[in-house]
Coordinates of all heavy atoms in Angstrom, one line a residue:
W4 N 16.7 12.2 -7.5 CA 15.8 11.8 -6.4 C 16.4 10.6 -5.9 O 16.8 9.7 -6.7 CB 14.5 11.7 -7.0 CG 13.5 11.3 -5.9 CD1 12.9 12.2 -4.9 CD2 13.0 10.0 -5.5 NE1 12.1 11.4 -4.1 CE2 12.2 10.2 -4.4 CE3 13.3 8.8 -6.1 CZ2 11.6 9.1 -3.7 CZ3 12.6 7.6 -5.4 CH2 11.8 7.9 -4.3
P15 N 16.3 11.6 13.0 CA 16.3 10.5 14.1 C 14.9 10.1 14.4 O 13.9 10.9 14.1 CB 16.9 11.3 15.3 CG 17.6 12.4 14.8 CD 17.0 12.8 13.6
F32 N 12.0 21.7 13.7 CA 11.7 20.3 13.9 C 11.2 20.1 15.5 O 11.6 20.9 16.4 CB 12.9 19.4 13.8 CG 13.6 19.5 12.5 CD1 14.5 20.4 12.1 CD2 13.1 18.6 11.4 CE1 15.1 20.5 10.9 CE2 13.6 18.8 10.1 CZ 14.7 19.7 10.0
G45 N 19.7 27.6 5.5 CA 19.9 27.1 4.2 C 20.0 25.5 4.1 O 20.1 25.0 3.0
P60 N 9.8 14.2 31.4 CA 9.2 13.4 32.5 C 10.2 12.7 33.3 O 11.2 12.2 32.8 CB 8.1 12.5 31.8 CG 8.7 12.3 30.3 CD 9.5 13.6 30.1
G63 N 11.2 7.6 37.4 CA 11.0 6.7 38.6 C 11.7 7.4 39.7 O 12.6 8.2 39.5
D67 N 16.9 8.9 40.5 CA 17.2 10.2 40.7 C 18.4 10.7 39.9 O 18.4 11.8 39.3 CB 17.2 10.6 42.1 CG 15.9 10.4 42.8 OD1 14.9 10.6 42.1 OD2 15.9 10.3 44.1
P81 N 31.8 18.8 14.6 CA 32.9 19.2 15.4 C 32.7 20.5 16.2 O 33.3 20.7 17.3 CB 34.2 19.3 14.6 CG 33.7 18.9 13.2 CD 32.2 18.7 13.2
E82 N 31.8 21.3 15.7 CA 31.6 22.7 16.3 C 31.1 22.4 17.8 O 31.4 23.2 18.7 CB 30.6 23.5 15.5 CG 31.1 23.9 14.1 CD 30.8 22.9 13.1 OE1 30.0 21.9 13.4 OE2 31.5 23.0 12.1
G85 N 33.6 21.8 20.5 CA 34.5 22.8 20.8 C 35.7 22.9 19.9 O 36.4 23.8 19.8
M95 N 35.9 20.7 1.2 CA 35.5 19.4 0.6 C 34.4 19.6 -0.5 O 34.4 19.0 -1.4 CB 35.0 18.4 1.6 CG 35.0 17.1 1.1 SD 36.4 16.4 0.4 CE 37.3 16.1 1.8
I115 N 45.7 20.0 -27.7 CA 46.4 21.1 -28.4 C 47.9 20.5 -28.7 O 48.4 20.8 -29.6 CB 46.6 22.4 -27.4 CG1 45.2 23.1 -27.4 CG2 47.7 23.2 -27.8 CD1 45.2 24.2 -26.3
T116 N 48.4 19.7 -27.7 CA 49.9 19.3 -27.9 C 49.7 18.1 -28.9 O 50.7 17.9 -29.7 CB 50.5 18.8 -26.6 OG1 49.6 17.8 -26.0 CG2 50.7 19.9 -25.7
S119 N 49.6 19.7 -32.5 CA 50.8 20.4 -33.0 C 51.9 19.4 -33.4 O 52.7 19.8 -34.1 CB 51.3 21.3 -31.8 OG 51.7 20.5 -30.7
G121 N 51.4 16.8 -35.3 CA 50.9 16.3 -36.6 C 50.5 15.0 -36.5 O 50.3 14.3 -35.4
D131 N 62.0 -1.0 -55.3 CA 62.7 -0.7 -56.6 C 61.6 0.0 -57.4 O 60.4 -0.1 -57.3 CB 63.0 -2.0 -57.4 CG 64.1 -2.9 -56.8 OD1 64.8 -2.2 -56.1 OD2 64.2 -4.1 -57.0
W145 N 50.2 17.7 -56.2 CA 50.3 18.3 -57.6 C 51.7 18.7 -57.9 O 52.3 18.4 -59.0 CB 49.3 19.3 -57.8 CG 49.4 20.0 -59.2 CD1 50.0 21.0 -59.5 CD2 48.8 19.4 -60.3 NE1 49.8 21.4 -60.9 CE2 49.1 20.2 -61.4 CE3 48.0 18.3 -60.6 CZ2 48.7 20.1 -62.8 CZ3 47.6 18.1 -61.9 CH2 47.9 18.9 -62.9
D156 N 47.9 10.2 -60.3 CA 47.4 8.8 -60.0 C 48.6 7.9 -59.8 O 48.5 7.0 -58.9 CB 46.6 8.3 -61.2 CG 45.4 9.0 -61.4 OD1 44.8 9.4 -60.3 OD2 44.7 9.1 -62.4
G160 N 49.0 5.8 -56.4 CA 49.1 4.3 -56.5 C 50.4 3.8 -55.8 O 50.3 2.7 -55.2
N166 N 47.0 11.0 -48.0 CA 46.0 11.9 -48.0 C 46.6 13.2 -48.5 O 47.4 13.8 -47.7 CB 45.3 12.1 -46.7 CG 44.2 13.1 -46.7 OD1 43.9 13.7 -47.7 ND2 43.5 13.1 -45.6
G173 N 58.0 16.7 -43.1 CA 58.9 15.7 -42.6 C 58.5 14.2 -42.9 O 59.3 13.4 -42.9
E174 N 57.3 14.2 -43.4 CA 56.7 12.9 -43.9 C 57.4 12.3 -45.2 O 57.8 13.1 -46.0 CB 55.3 12.9 -44.0 CG 54.7 11.6 -44.6 CD 53.1 11.8 -44.8 OE1 52.6 12.9 -44.7 OE2 52.5 10.7 -45.2
V178 N 58.2 8.4 -54.6 CA 57.9 8.9 -55.9 C 58.4 8.0 -56.9 O 59.5 7.6 -57.1 CB 58.7 10.2 -56.0 CG1 58.4 10.8 -57.4 CG2 58.2 11.3 -55.0
S181 N 60.1 8.0 -63.4 CA 59.4 8.2 -64.7 C 60.2 7.5 -65.9 O 61.3 7.2 -65.9 CB 59.2 9.7 -65.0 OG 60.5 10.4 -65.0

Side-chain angles (χ1 to χ4, degrees):
W4 183 81
F32 302 91
D67 288 335
E82 295 85 16
M95 191 58 71
I115 289 172
T116 58
S119 66
D131 293 336
W145 178 262
D156 291 333
N166 185 352
E174 180 181 1
V178 178
S181 52

